[in-house]
Amino acid sequence: MGVVLSLLAGCVSNSNNASDLQQDATAAVSQEPQQNKVSDVLLWINGTYAVLTDINGGDYTLLGGLEPTATNKEREIDALESSWGVTDRASADETLVWLMEEGGHREGYAEIMEMLDADGISDMTEDERVAYITSVYQVEDPDEALYLAKAYPYYLENGAGAIDAWDYCRAISLAGWYYTAGYYTEEESIEKSLEIAKIIQERFSSWDEMMDSYLMGYEYWGSTSSSERRAIYEDIKTRDNSPYSLDWNLPLEWDPVNGIPEKRLAFCGGMC
């Protein structure tokens, strides 16, 4: 039972369960984000975390969501340390390894769901599942018990990889923030982002499918509703230059010689 309780506790708090909000990094961004015209490839990459960028007051047409100014660099450094424990290049790399190679939150999710499934809760109502989780696994937080119960049907439908996008999308957001903070060069950030983006593109079949997985992961991690993030996603879909208007199967290739904004001249009439 000790292992079980540890896993359950781990879905809400451990050293790697950092906040995905970069509040310190964007608190001073008071102006309405400007939507620049950018490469489709960069916009696709940024679409994997555009909801979070929007929540943080950033611009999802920019790598990392912010202009790479000295002021934003210092804010991002502070935010990464407070939210993720990232303080340098080495810890930046380690955090991406944890998310992409060591299982992130999706590993604990799968283990917990498999244990609940083995307990035979599939025939229970949601209320019965909440009561069972609260009693048998001694989960004192009613919200945690509720959202574990809510996560179970999604697991039945989508399997152990149900919340993969939660880890993958946050990994890309980190790669962008690492550029702003100066831990990665622009080229390194884009190359790492492309590497992860191709995994996401292969793993899911559409923006909606990716977002469903991401939002379920958010609910599992935070024991809270994802309705606000869902609404932001739907709103971004309606905007000009929305990443979600791009073809999901867009070829994700980058020319490191000419740079990623290969369409910039076309968007500014050759005057920039």
Side-chain angles (χ1 to χ4, degrees), residues 32 184 207 253:
E32 189 71 21
Y184 282 8
W207 290 111
E253 301 298 336

Side-chain angles (χ1 to χ4, degrees), residues 49-232:
Y49 61 104
V51 169
L52 182 57
T53 300
D54 195 76
I55 289 173
N56 286 332
D59 180 351
Y60 55 73
T61 67
L62 298 173
L63 180 62
L66 292 171
E67 293 284 358
T69 64
T71 298
N72 286 336
K73 176 180 179 179
E74 291 305 312
R75 294 190 185 118
E76 199 67 83
I77 288 172
D78 290 342
L80 285 168
E81 180 175 8
S82 62
S83 296
W84 286 90
V86 170
T87 58
D88 53 20
R89 173 61 180 255
S91 55
D93 289 340
E94 288 171 1
T95 302
L96 284 184
V97 168
W98 175 73
L99 282 168
M100 296 304 300
E101 300 177 23
E102 296 178 357
H105 290 134
R106 63 193 182 280
E107 182 178 26
Y109 166 87
E111 290 180 11
I112 293 171
M113 293 301 112
E114 287 167 4
M115 287 188 293
L116 293 175
D117 194 47
D119 288 347
I121 71 167
S122 59
D123 294 330
M124 296 181 184
T125 66
E126 183 176 284
D127 288 343
E128 290 171 336
R129 290 170 183 166
V130 171
Y132 181 86
I133 292 169
T134 300
S135 174
V136 174
Y137 293 107
Q138 302 174 26
V139 176
E140 297 180 358
D141 184 345
D143 287 335
E144 183 179 351
L146 173 62
Y147 281 95
L148 284 172
K150 286 181 175 294
Y152 180 71
Y154 196 73
Y155 162 78
L156 289 182
E157 181 179 352
N158 296 280
I163 67 165
D164 284 359
W166 171 245
D167 285 335
Y168 297 161
C169 291
R170 297 216 297 172
I172 292 189
S173 69
L174 281 173
W177 298 337
Y178 291 169
Y179 165 61
T180 308
Y183 297 142
Y184 282 8
T185 66
E186 182 179 29
E187 181 174 338
E188 289 171 332
S189 175
I190 293 172
E191 286 183 341
K192 177 57 67 174
S193 296
L194 277 172
E195 176 186 321
I196 303 168
K198 289 176 182 178
I199 293 172
I200 292 174
Q201 192 180 56
E202 183 176 350
R203 170 67 180 79
F204 301 99
S205 62
S206 66
W207 290 111
D208 284 349
E209 186 179 7
M210 181 202 77
M211 190 56 59
D212 286 345
S213 176
Y214 168 84
L215 293 176
M216 180 51 63
Y218 172 74
E219 292 194 350
Y220 161 78
W221 168 76
S223 298
T224 190
S225 172
S226 62
S227 59
E228 178 185 359
R229 295 189 180 211
R230 171 74 68 182
I232 292 171

